[in-house]
Amino acid sequence: MARLSSLFVAILTLTPTAYSRHLRASKVFLDGRQVQNEYDYVIIGGGTAGLTVADRLTEDGKTTVLVIEYGVLSEAASLTTVAGGFSGMSDSQFMYDIRSVPQVNLRNRVISVLAGKVVGGSSAVNAMMTIRGTAEDYDRWGAFFGKNSHWTWEGLLPYFKKALNFVPPNADITRTANITYDTSFWGNTSGVYAGWPSYQFPATTAQMEAFKGLPGVEIASDSGSGVPGVYWYPTFMDPKTVLRSFAKTGHYDNVKRANYHLVTQSKVTKIVLDGTTATGVSFVPAPARGQPGNTAAPVTTVTARKEVILAAGGVHSPQVLQVSGIGPKKVLSAAGIDTIIDLPGVGQNFQDHGMISASFQFARIPQSARPSSDDLRTNRTLSTWSSQVWAANRTGPNSIATGNSAAWLSFPVISPRSAKLSADLAAQNHAAYLPTGSDPTVAAGYRAQMLSYASALNNNNTAFYNLVLQGGSASGLLVDLHPLSRGTVNVNPANPHNTEPQVDYRALANPLDATIMGDIVRFTRKYYLDNPKTKDWGGREVSPGASVTTDEQLATFLSSSLSPSVYHPAGTCAMMPLELGGVVDEELKVYGVKNLRVVDASVIPTLPGANTCQTVYAIAEKAADLIRYGAPKV
């Protein structure tokens, strides 16, 4: 048995236990009574990154790994259902219940902070959009370290390929929908699939083609090619079963190794340190849903012979570091936590993509572009056919998640004032838009990011604009891919150990965010209302309304409607130089601590212009090689 609190040991000696000793050799445990005393690696978090790394490290059959996961191991249909794309996220039992602090620039609105609370993490509950980002997104990461960094597009591309098993769409759909793809950007060995639905609405193809009516818009040949444009992209779906493909199905379910252990329903209380060396992890049974943490819960401590790997995600990884005494001293002191490593960047640099609630509609989708996704709801014949083919062989519209086509456009394409806004951003006093009293290193890192974005605003290599096309009359999600504002995720000083961290998006803290988002709205108007390709479609603006035209009016609209999150929390344990507020180095090792790495979205220094899941898989695949083989020679 692992080491337990003396009180709990005493209870066990007096109480019969239902746990048989043979469970010690099985793969999944329900609590700390069953795990071994020591493992080579202990991984905190059984999500997208944690399960990927665990799978890779245990491939030799000898290296022992324990993954500690807060959520349950579940086979619920809500997690695997593809149709509509939001079944997992809609099942509250698999989601953390976290609320942000009131957002002062959003009329004090409180924002839901969503993340997966289940084995598989957010890969089990996301919208299944398999998006990569541009080459410049990843070259930017390496540039913070200098020209010899291995964190570049070329350095990550092999891991993007390794991370997913790409299965092309069937030939009939490829031809009728005019889908393009390039298999040279993809791999075919992973247990995590990038597949395609067996049906596409003709209206989706027509809406994609309509972007050709706007100057400067390019149609990219493949979503994984690393360039902005309008393109088709796959779904995190196994096309054979037409079920969600995620970290659990790809890196756990079919992995039969005695050296790979998982304990579920367990909350990590701290990383155990011997001086400045990580030696293990302490955890307790996770509290029941809706219940506060139990301060008297039995504590299990497991030793990591080689390393502790933190993979709890963009919200919880900084919390784990801070409760372990690693973080900004003033934050820890306010919470009554002894500072072991004063690391100012922990919990800072918080980022998420911003969702703009502008809404447009087409009144008359042409007959040549029918059926549309609306017809599935209004046309009984189409609806009946859809149900029949799904019941017969799992094909048809029900194999579509949230869609497979979108625009990911650079700022010069969408805005005539890209050069001016680029200059305005470069000229800012950047530190003025950070929280008061931010550490000088964090401010230096923010300035480096903003200067990189200033350049990106005036070139065509980074996508700032995203409109998801869904083949219906209503507009899809409209997203700002590179918000300039930075928030924080810090422990609750009143109760750091038994409550969720305090999440502050600090939305619109940098005033240029509202200006950029205003131009995103203006360009979307042009697509719907001033486009030769859609002029006969009866486009109309629902919100913010035709009378909302100036920067000031659009800023007011955003203050009442913007969501600062599309559930892509990142950046809170940034991979940047220490002098730029970094938390981990290029090998993902925590500065000042031996035998401790962070591997998840929290290490992302600047968000990619894409949904984050595919990027996290690639980070995890690269991390596994860094752990096993060390840094590559560049």
Side-chain angles (χ1 to χ4, degrees):
M1 285 186 179
R3 297 189 302 276
L4 302 175
S5 67
S6 58
L7 174 62
F8 192 54
V9 170
I11 293 172
L12 282 180
T13 61
L14 298 173
T15 306
T17 178
Y19 295 99
S20 303
R21 292 186 61 83
H22 79 273
L23 284 175
R24 186 178 178 85
S26 67
K27 286 189 359 174
V28 61
F29 307 126
L30 297 178
D31 63 41
R33 290 178 288 181
Q34 302 166 312
V35 303
Q36 296 175 1
N37 290 331
E38 298 182 342
Y39 292 82
D40 292 322
Y41 297 93
V42 178
I43 299 176
I44 302 170
T48 312
L51 294 184
T52 302
V53 173
D55 182 9
R56 297 309 183 196
L57 294 182
T58 57
E59 284 177 330
D60 62 5
K62 300 177 182 178
T63 301
T64 58
V65 172
L66 173 67
V67 178
I68 304 171
E69 167 56 33
Y70 191 102
V72 300
L73 181 66
S74 177
E75 303 296 328
S78 60
L79 299 179
T80 57
T81 297
V82 169
F86 291 107
S87 176
M89 194 178 299
S90 300
D91 195 336
S92 62
Q93 67 178 312
F94 301 124
M95 306 297 296
Y96 284 100
D97 182 18
I98 307 173
R99 299 290 186 269
S100 76
V101 302
Q103 297 299 288
V104 295
N105 295 319
L106 301 181
R107 305 187 185 185
N108 285 322
R109 285 186 285 128
V110 173
I111 308 300
S112 294
V113 183
L114 299 188
K117 186 185 66 176
V118 65
V119 174
S122 291
S123 74
V125 297
N126 65 20
M128 293 179 268
M129 296 171 65
T130 313
I131 308 297
R132 190 168 294 178
T134 67
E136 188 169 83
D137 285 332
Y138 305 104
D139 288 342
R140 181 175 294 114
W141 298 359
F144 296 130
F145 289 94
K147 63 181 180 180
N148 293 322
S149 176
H150 50 86
W151 285 93
T152 62
W153 169 254
E154 292 300 325
L156 268 174
L157 186 57
Y159 296 104
F160 277 118
K161 293 181 178 181
K162 186 176 183 179
L164 298 177
N165 190 332
F166 180 83
V167 180
N170 70 55
D172 288 344
I173 297 300
T174 300
R175 183 182 65 258
T176 58
N178 197 25
I179 296 174
T180 61
Y181 60 89
D182 184 344
T183 56
S184 69
F185 292 109
W186 300 89
N188 57 10
T189 61
S190 175
V192 180
Y193 286 88
W196 296 80
S198 55
Y199 181 85
Q200 293 291 344
F201 292 103
T204 303
T205 302
Q207 290 172 3
M208 183 173 176
E209 291 292 314
F211 268 99
K212 294 179 179 179
L214 302 177
V217 176
E218 300 288 339
I219 306 297
S221 63
D222 189 278
S223 65
S225 63
V227 299
V230 181
Y231 49 70
W232 293 94
Y233 57 87
T235 299
F236 284 116
M237 175 183 74
D238 184 338
K240 291 183 180 179
T241 61
V242 200
L243 296 172
R244 178 193 293 269
S245 186
F246 62 113
K248 172 180 165 290
T249 61
H251 292 295
Y252 182 78
D253 283 350
N254 296 315
V255 180
K256 309 298 182 184
R257 301 183 193 125
N259 56 324
Y260 180 175
H261 288 182
L262 168 69
V263 59
T264 63
Q265 303 174 66
S266 298
K267 177 186 177 181
V268 169
T269 57
K270 68 176 180 178
I271 297 164
V272 179
L273 299 171
D274 181 2
T276 58
T277 299
T279 61
V281 176
S282 293
F283 60 96
V284 296
R289 186 182 176 194
Q291 299 299 312
N294 179 7
T295 56
V299 178
T300 301
T301 298
V302 177
T303 296
R305 286 186 288 261
K306 294 184 178 181
E307 291 186 12
V308 173
I309 299 166
L310 178 56
V315 173
H316 289 111
S317 281
Q319 181 188 35
V320 171
L321 288 177
Q322 290 180 5
V323 297
S324 304
I326 303 167
K329 185 174 182 179
K330 65 179 182 180
V331 171
L332 304 189
S333 296
I337 299 170
D338 292 336
T339 301
I340 298 173
I341 301 293
D342 183 9
L343 195 53
V346 175
Q348 316 313 296
N349 193 48
F350 178 46
Q351 302 163 53
D352 202 331
H353 293 123
M355 184 167 62
I356 304 165
S357 59
S359 177
F360 299 83
Q361 286 188 343
F362 289 128
R364 299 183 300 276
I365 294 178
Q367 194 61 39
S368 61
R370 307 294 283 271
S372 71
S373 57
D374 297 328
D375 294 326
L376 190 62
R377 296 187 296 272
T378 60
N379 185 314
R380 179 172 296 182
T381 300
L382 179 66
S383 176
T384 299
W385 168 81
S386 175
S387 298
Q388 289 173 342
V389 297
W390 178 254
N393 50 30
R394 300 180 71 82
T395 60
N398 283 331
S399 65
I400 300 172
T402 51
N404 299 90
S405 180
W408 313 79
L409 304 178
S410 64
F411 201 67
V413 167
I414 72 161
S415 174
R417 53 178 178 171
S418 58
K420 179 184 184 305
L421 295 186
S422 169
D424 288 348
L425 179 57
Q428 280 184 339
N429 174 12
H430 301 105
Y433 302 117
L434 291 176
T436 302
S438 289
D439 189 85
T441 62
V442 173
Y446 180 60
R447 176 171 173 77
Q449 293 179 16
M450 293 305 101
L451 292 177
S452 179
Y453 278 169
S455 174
L457 278 168
N458 202 31
N459 71 41
N460 287 311
N461 301 321
T462 293
F464 279 81
Y465 174 97
N466 174 219
L467 176 65
V468 178
L469 305 175
Q470 297 178 313
S473 60
S475 54
L477 298 177
L478 186 61
V479 178
D480 176 4
L481 295 172
H482 291 289
L484 309 178
S485 302
R486 295 291 182 267
T488 58
V489 178
N490 292 319
V491 291
N492 180 352
N495 189 356
H497 299 284
N498 294 303
T499 62
E500 294 289 0
Q502 293 182 333
V503 177
D504 188 356
Y505 290 96
R506 302 188 69 253
L508 303 181
N510 190 316
L512 281 180
D513 269 336
T515 307
I516 289 169
M517 292 180 196
D519 280 2
I520 287 174
V521 173
R522 290 184 178 104
F523 179 81
T524 309
R525 281 176 173 155
K526 185 179 296 184
Y527 171 76
Y528 280 89
L529 308 177
D530 189 21
N531 180 353
K533 295 285 188 179
T534 62
K535 63 183 178 65
D536 297 326
W537 294 16
R540 71 182 186 94
E541 181 171 342
V542 180
S543 66
S547 64
V548 179
T549 58
T550 67
D551 283 351
E552 293 75 17
Q553 289 171 329
L554 285 163
T556 299
F557 164 72
L558 290 166
S559 72
S560 63
S561 61
L562 174 71
S563 169
S565 174
V566 292
Y567 320 126
H568 299 157
T572 47
C573 300
M575 180 182 63
M576 293 186 77
L578 184 61
E579 63 270 21
L580 295 182
V583 175
V584 300
D585 64 14
E586 291 182 275
E587 293 186 66
L588 305 179
K589 296 177 179 178
V590 175
Y591 290 115
V593 185
K594 294 181 180 179
N595 300 341
L596 176 61
R597 301 189 205 229
V598 184
V599 184
D600 57 32
S602 72
V603 306
I604 294 174
T606 52
L607 276 167
N611 301 59
T612 50
C613 189
Q614 188 179 166
T615 295
V616 172
Y617 278 124
I619 289 171
E621 294 283 9
K622 183 175 175 73
D625 277 0
L626 290 172
I627 294 165
R628 290 182 292 187
Y629 313 124
K633 295 181 179 180
V634 179

